[in-house]
Amino acid sequence: MVTTTEYLILAAALFTIGVIGVLTRRNIIIIFMSIELILNAVNINLVAFSNYWQQFTGQIYALFVITVAAAEAAVGLGIIIALFRNKETVNADEIDLLKW
Amino acid sequence: MQTIVFFIFAFIAVAAAINMLVQKHPIHSALSLIVVMAMLSIFYVMLYAEFLAVVQVIVYAGAIMVLFVFVIMLLNPREESHRTRQNRFLLVAGVPLGLCLMAEIVILLRRAPLGENETGRQLVGTTEAVGRVLFTDYLLPFEFISVLILIAILGAVVLTKREL
């Protein structure tokens, strides 16, 4: 029988993969996709607990997370395009305007 | 039966997520991420969250990932040809730390196992049921989130202007 704990462990695995992606990859598009993966892992948690407590709150919250992810994707990809136009790179190591 | 289905799709989801990381070209990563999104939609169906499963496919696979693929094709970035020394340091440091995080979460979850669900009944997240809750109890957050979407549209338009 699949219990809530299994879903939570699956979510933890996807979350960890996303964190490793943010930490190790230097392509900002792939870092961005890793962030999407992290948000999705959190959504599994919310829906699993919604099923566990038999309340809709978790599902509504997951819906809001999806909405925020969509808004974030639009703005983030806009930033990536603006960056690429100015610096001609998608490598996070070469984008060091705020470093001194 | 449900257990077998769960473990098959969990394996596919984790494999696709790892594939997303190891692929060199962003377009392959994006396609792997679409597979992960589809698997998550299946998990939502198994958790009786039907509306969210549909929303997951429409919004994530249908809208967000299409946006990603558009941007990747627009920028057409080259494959990461050489891994610098700093890059290898990140790999050596990041993967074990990530696995430590994973181990910690799993140990904590194993210590306090949760069962199926508390009550005997089964709540099904149909469009009607979710919509009823969304437009009564959560009406104010819903209105706020629409304002957020509007701001995001304006932000995306301003950011992609030519003279930025």
Side-chain angles (χ1 to χ4, degrees):
Chain A
M1 210 61 203
V2 187
T3 59
T4 307
T5 309
E6 262 85 65
Y7 283 104
L8 298 186
I9 289 173
L10 171 72
L14 291 179
F15 181 87
T16 313
I17 293 167
V19 169
I20 291 174
V22 173
L23 288 177
T24 57
R25 294 303 299 261
R26 292 294 87 190
N27 187 327
I28 44 175
I29 296 174
I30 292 177
I31 291 177
F32 207 55
M33 284 195 271
S34 301
I35 295 172
E36 296 288 333
L37 188 63
I38 292 174
L39 287 169
N40 270 295
V42 172
N43 269 352
I44 300 182
N45 272 358
L46 291 169
V47 178
F49 274 118
S50 167
N51 189 51
Y52 181 72
W53 294 111
Q54 294 292 299
Q55 283 176 6
F56 278 128
T57 312
Q59 291 184 28
I60 304 283
Y61 210 102
L63 204 61
F64 285 150
V65 170
I66 290 176
T67 319
V68 170
E72 178 228 333
V75 175
L77 290 171
I79 291 174
I80 289 174
I81 288 178
L83 260 177
F84 191 77
R85 215 173 254 154
N86 287 323
K87 309 247 337 173
E88 289 287 322
T89 181
V90 287
N91 188 342
D93 284 337
E94 290 169 38
I95 302 160
D96 48 8
L97 283 168
L98 289 177
K99 251 190 211 166
W100 61 280
Chain B
M1 180 62 197
Q2 212 185 1
T3 318
I4 300 166
V5 170
F6 174 81
F7 280 107
I8 290 172
F9 288 117
F11 177 75
I12 296 174
V14 172
I18 292 171
N19 189 44
M20 186 195 97
L21 288 193
V22 297
Q23 286 295 334
K24 283 216 161 34
H25 201 283
I27 200 88
H28 300 146
S29 300
L31 294 176
S32 302
L33 193 54
I34 291 173
V35 174
V36 179
M37 304 294 181
M39 294 305 124
L40 292 201
S41 170
I42 291 167
F43 294 133
Y44 293 163
V45 172
M46 287 170 68
L47 286 166
Y48 298 94
E50 294 167 8
F51 179 64
L52 262 185
V54 175
V55 165
Q56 174 83 9
V57 172
I58 292 174
V59 174
Y60 264 117
I64 296 181
M65 291 320 293
V66 168
L67 207 61
F68 268 98
V69 172
F70 267 166
V71 169
I72 291 166
M73 287 180 165
L74 207 62
L75 302 184
N76 195 18
R78 301 170 306 278
E79 288 188 16
E80 289 173 54
S81 49
H82 61 284
R83 293 190 168 275
T84 56
R85 210 167 131 260
Q86 199 183 1
N87 227 328
R88 196 173 297 123
F89 168 72
L90 287 173
L91 212 62
V92 170
V95 174
L97 283 175
L99 292 178
C100 282
L101 179 69
M102 167 88 192
E104 283 171 15
I105 298 172
V106 170
I107 288 169
L108 280 176
L109 287 176
R110 277 283 162 225
R111 198 165 286 176
L114 298 169
E116 266 280 285
N117 63 53
E118 294 275 278
T119 54
R121 68 212 164 88
Q122 181 56 58
L123 205 68
V124 181
T126 56
T127 311
E128 188 197 346
V130 174
R132 199 177 291 276
V133 180
L134 189 62
F135 288 115
T136 53
D137 296 347
Y138 296 94
L139 186 61
L140 190 64
F142 182 77
E143 297 290 345
F144 281 143
I145 213 88
S146 61
V147 176
L148 181 80
I149 291 274
L150 183 66
I151 295 169
I153 294 169
L154 295 177
V157 170
V158 170
L159 279 170
T160 45
K161 269 189 167 176
R162 190 149 284 284
E163 65 273 7
L164 189 77

